[in-house]
Amino acid sequence: MGVSLSKAAQWTTFSPDASKLKSTPTNEALLKEILTFVEQIGSQHPQEADFTFEAPLQWRTTVVTSDLKSDYHIRDSTAWSHETDSREAPPLLTPFTVRVRSLGQLSMLIQAAEDKKLEEVQACLEGNRDFLVKILGPRIASQLLEDGAYADVESLKEDVKDEASEIKARLVALLQNTDTRILRKLLRDFSDAQYDPDFMKVEMDFLQFCSEGDDRLLKSVRYTSDFEFWNGCRAPPWRQAQGEICYVVIESVDTGSLNVTCCTAGVFLNGVGGPGALFISNSRKEFILNSAAGVTLWLLLFHTYIMYIHSVTCRLRDCCSFRKTSSKATLAELSSETSSESEEEEERPEHQPESDFYLSSEFLQIKKLVKYLKKGDQKVTLLMLCCMLDLDLTQDSCNLAIRDEGGLQFLLNLLDTNEDKCKIGALKILIRMSRCVPIQRSMEDMLGVRSLVNNLDSEVTKVKALAAETIANVANFPRARRTVRQSGGIEKLIKLLDCFLKSQKKSDHLENMEAARCGALALWSCSRSTKNKKAICSAGGIPLLGCLLTSSLESMLIPVVGTLQECASEESSRITIQSKDIIKNLVKNLRSNCTDLQIQCSMALFKCAEDTETRDLVRKYKGLKPLVELLNNTNNKELLAAATGAIWKCSISIENVLIFQNDKVLESLAGLLTAQPEEVLINVAGALTEFLQVPANKAVIRKCDGIKPMIQLLLSTNQALLVNVTKAISACATDRENMKIIDELDGISLLWSLLQNPNPEVQASAAWAICPCIGNSKDAMRTVLSFQGFGRIPDLLMSTNNEVLASICAVIAKLAKYKNILATLTDLGIVSLLTKLTNTKDDRLRHHLSDAICHCCQFANNTAAFGEAGAVEPLVRYMKSEDILVRQSATMALFQLSWDPNNNLTMLSRGAVKVSCV
């Protein structure tokens, strides 16, 4: 019964009924056969019926104690069997639950169910899908469930040590014989099944497969009509009423054309008469059809085999109920931030199938397919590859089972053969399997990526295309991308693009176009590695990708632009993009109706617009207006993030800001400061910073209530967002009216608190924002005194980041204007801390450091203290700087220091007068 259940039973897949038998004629027939076996076992095989199970069968039942006869101990709603149960053992029957320990008990209980016998058998099977393991134990059960490999009863008899072992051996033989009888009967009944158009299409696909190649079994297989009705039939409506589906013309290898009628009752050859024969040569393993009757017989045999394969694959699709993975890599994954190959790869926990999967029918069917795949000749291998394509390879469980049974290694080995058909079949399966993350890593471990790269040199274009598409899936982690590059894969993928561009007038144009598309997909995946970006640029990939931008196919354009936008993070690639007229086509495709393409084009412009030349080209080709129009797509957050990013970088040029203002972009951006994902907010804040460089826009941001949401964003934890928001607030704070709003919202205190942030970029941007807030606050003294202590300033002056040091020096220069604050800073050792920084060669830091020293000289003995600490001599050297701002601030600092006579002597000895005269 175990084999019949695994091969014939049809189970549901959906929760919460994931272990329920479907209501089908096949299942009903199966249940009736099992019921007959159970009812008769007590009278026909009494010793086997009394055999005690390894573990009891348990299920929810409708039988109650009142249904039982006198052969039981009954107490209230609980019952024990006289045969094998003791009163101390768990009872046979409790409310709604039954536990049986022998086939005899099972038979008696089923008899008690009376008119609900079938329902009780079904409940038993559904509650014990591993019932053979419970009856016989795992070792013998696994033998019974093996493909055609029945347990060796004789070997079991040799191990007989007592009467119980002998009974167990006879029970195994009984179950085997019952399995065989049930399967044969179901197969006979299956020949009366009703077929539909979808099933006939499956058969046609298999038959047409047999008509391909030089060693084909059939010359051709075709429909008599190309017209297909809405229900999938090709027969005329008045013939459909008679059950006919379609008509097929078959040309065999050694006879004329044969006309076949496919209908709901089966497949029939028209006008067959007379005796004939079918000869099958086992040595050559090929079919020789020598008569019409022979063709008929072959068709019927082949038809029956296809029906079986089809039923197997249907059950695999229906039964597997594990988590499905996405069949395509999402756009967000392909557009993710570039990873460095030097980083350690994250070891993700591998999703393992649940333990009962290995006892399920779907696992056993996969095991069979893999076994036939590895042991068959070329034709069998091709047929098994076709069968594997019908598996649900979107499920991790199926993929891992194929790998664990050795199927993945065999598929990869096929890539190293000279059989192109086998390669194509294997690659079609690998494309689908490689969407599973554990399989990607296994393919790399098995050296499969190198085999894929080698197949990019194939003379068959389809092989190259499929290999490239598989690489696109596998190259989702650094090690695989590195292998592609080190195996010469980048150059080979680029060659696919070149072949397509050179074959536009040839007959193989469509095949080369598909190969180029797959090559672009693979390059897109590979380009997430920094070294691969450089390799693509060095191999001349950027100009070829630019040429493909003229294509009208979205499926081609998306991976092409995706690769370009990944490579655009490299300066050398951006230079090539600017010089090859690629920006023009990127702008053109911004107007596409394809959202994914718009996203990739916007992201490409976002990266390329770091350079002034690109910003000018975008304006030249009228690309600013389309970017503004994309802001209306507020429901598509990915597109909105890409568009705001491109607007941000383009607005670095003041000429672009003026054009944006004509479309009221500032107001639109201010409206996006709330209820948006962080990716959008970062770009919006960055764009606002550039817009606010125009003085008139500082009043606009106030009028459209954009300041308050910016202050609220200071509470964010996203580092990039904090950097951009503080820069935007800094630009706002240069206007006194805006400063009033910032003050009312306690924005300065929030900015001061950001000095505690561990990120140097946040520290620096917050410090720069504090400076105009102090300078433009109506009550600056009250604002300064509201700061939560100044102890953080000495800590920040010990930073190793020059930008942090420069910004804190600028803050000190603002604070030193207030004597009580300067006194506090002096007590904190500000003089010695500033003096230690004077040997820097960074002109930006020199400028603000000199300014801070100048203002700190206003208090007590700080002037002399700076001289004693050694600050004078470095400041004299500042006078030789090429930066005029450094020379100006150094001059002012030396002026303040000159009030101390000792400092004057130092200046004279170091040539300060000569330098100032120059």
Side-chain angles (χ1 to χ4, degrees), residues 869-881:
V872 176
E873 183 179 347
L875 287 173
V876 173
R877 293 198 299 269
Y878 288 6
M879 300 295 290
K880 298 179 181 180
S881 172

Side-chain angles (χ1 to χ4, degrees), residues 458-557:
S458 172
E459 296 181 359
V460 180
T461 305
K462 190 170 185 179
V463 171
K464 292 189 287 188
L466 294 173
E469 189 171 355
T470 310
I471 290 173
N473 292 339
V474 177
N476 274 326
F477 64 104
R479 187 154 48 93
R481 292 194 287 269
R482 181 168 59 247
T483 300
V484 173
R485 183 185 70 252
Q486 293 175 347
S487 303
I490 299 297
E491 293 78 8
K492 294 177 182 180
L493 291 170
I494 291 174
K495 187 177 179 181
L496 294 181
L497 311 184
D498 194 30
C499 290
F500 165 63
L501 293 171
K502 293 179 179 179
S503 68
Q504 294 187 357
K505 295 182 180 180
K506 296 181 180 180
S507 58
D508 57 354
H509 173 68
L510 291 178
E511 283 191 354
N512 283 325
M513 180 174 64
E514 176 63 12
R517 184 191 71 82
C518 295
L521 278 172
L523 287 172
W524 190 5
S525 294
C526 292
S527 63
R528 282 182 282 171
S529 161
T530 302
K531 291 183 179 180
N532 284 355
K533 293 176 187 179
K534 295 178 180 178
I536 291 172
C537 186
S538 301
I542 302 299
L544 292 176
L545 290 166
C547 293
L548 291 175
L549 283 177
T550 58
S551 172
S552 59
L553 294 176
E554 293 172 354
S555 60
M556 173 75 79
L557 289 171

Side-chain angles (χ1 to χ4, degrees), residues 685-686 689 692 710-711 713-715 719-733 742 747 750-752 754-755 761-770 772-773:
T689 301
L692 291 171
M710 282 196 288
I711 297 298
L713 289 176
L714 291 176
L715 298 173
Q719 307 298 299
L721 178 57
L722 288 174
V723 170
N724 284 2
V725 169
T726 49
K727 289 180 179 179
I729 292 175
S730 177
C732 284
I742 295 172
L750 291 173
L751 288 170
W752 188 264
L754 289 179
L755 295 179
E761 290 187 59
V762 176
Q763 295 170 355
S765 59
W768 289 123
I770 289 171
C773 288

